[in-house]
Amino acid sequence: MVESGEFCVTLTRILSFLNSEVHVHTVRFLGNIEAKTDAKGRAFLPAVMRKVLQSAGEERLVLRRDVFQPCLVLYPESVWNEQMDTLRRRLSRWNREHQDIYRRFVAEAETVVLDGSGRFLIPRRCQQQAAIRQEIRFVGMGDTIEIWAAGEAAEALGQTPSLGPALERLMGQASDAEGSSGCVFGSEG
């Protein structure tokens, strides 16, 4: 039988070991990169984005149509799994509407593996959903990568005068809620 004090010491040692041995790499994709698909629908994942995947130890990706925009979204497998876990927790298996939402979200997903050259296949169904012909654009969105048809991307990413005021409203609300002065980068004083 283990005494409670021994259990706490053992548990503390295990947690300390795990904290020192487990390295969590955050995935952060940035950039807006033009590319082309070949006749088979394959595309090279940009080198800068492949490096982010490699540094995080990610080998597999999941591809699906975006919920709001006419583009595709590439999720590193760990990010996809987190999304699935979150969605599953929020949706009841015993609610017909919830099951339909979950089914439709998951049914459109495709597992993607890069070949030795860094290429992956964009399935025809996905190409059609995002109006992808040959010219595409990869857009880093933090923990995911969007894939746009070049024309759609130009329209969606075009500078609009409403971006500044929209960010000001959103970030102002966030900083007010946090009790900060609203200064993003701090000030010298």
Side-chain angles (χ1 to χ4, degrees):
M1 182 160 186
V2 176
E3 296 287 327
S4 64
E6 290 176 39
F7 175 75
C8 288
V9 169
T10 303
L11 183 59
T12 302
R13 286 182 182 156
I14 291 170
L15 291 175
S16 176
F17 172 76
L18 289 175
N19 285 335
S20 66
E21 294 299 314
V22 175
H23 303 284
V24 177
H25 296 281
T26 303
V27 179
R28 293 284 181 243
F29 299 104
L30 301 173
N32 178 351
I33 302 165
E34 294 177 3
K36 291 183 179 185
T37 60
D38 66 13
K40 295 180 181 179
R42 295 176 300 193
F44 284 98
L45 187 66
V48 67
M49 294 176 176
R50 284 195 316 264
K51 287 178 184 175
V52 170
L53 284 173
Q54 290 169 347
S55 70
E58 296 279 352
E59 294 181 14
R60 297 166 55 105
L61 300 162
V62 175
L63 178 69
R64 82 168 311 280
R65 180 175 54 96
D66 187 69
V67 176
F68 301 107
Q69 297 292 332
C71 68
L72 304 174
V73 180
L74 268 177
Y75 297 81
E77 189 174 44
S78 65
V79 173
W80 173 259
N81 289 338
E82 287 175 23
Q83 290 291 317
M84 297 307 333
D85 291 346
T86 300
L87 191 58
R88 185 77 274 172
R89 276 193 306 275
R90 292 183 180 184
L91 299 175
S92 170
R93 291 178 192 269
W94 303 108
N95 179 302
R96 185 183 309 262
E97 180 184 14
H98 289 190
Q99 279 297 87
D100 185 47
I101 290 168
Y102 189 81
R103 181 180 303 107
R104 288 185 302 162
F105 188 77
V106 175
E108 292 188 9
E110 301 272 346
T111 300
V112 173
V113 179
L114 301 179
D115 69 13
S117 300
R119 292 180 305 185
F120 66 98
L121 178 67
I122 302 173
R124 290 272 180 235
R125 175 179 57 82
C126 294
Q127 290 178 44
Q128 292 169 351
Q129 290 172 334
I132 291 174
R133 303 271 186 283
Q134 188 176 18
E135 304 285 327
I136 60 174
R137 186 176 299 258
F138 291 93
V139 178
M141 292 289 292
D143 61 355
T144 62
I145 302 166
E146 292 180 342
I147 305 171
W148 290 81
E152 296 286 334
E155 186 177 317
L157 297 172
Q159 292 292 335
T160 61
S162 62
L163 180 60
L167 283 171
E168 183 178 30
R169 277 193 314 277
L170 290 170
M171 298 308 288
Q173 290 173 354
S175 64
D176 291 345
E178 295 168 2
S180 74
S181 65
C183 181
V184 175
F185 297 107
S187 61
E188 307 225 344

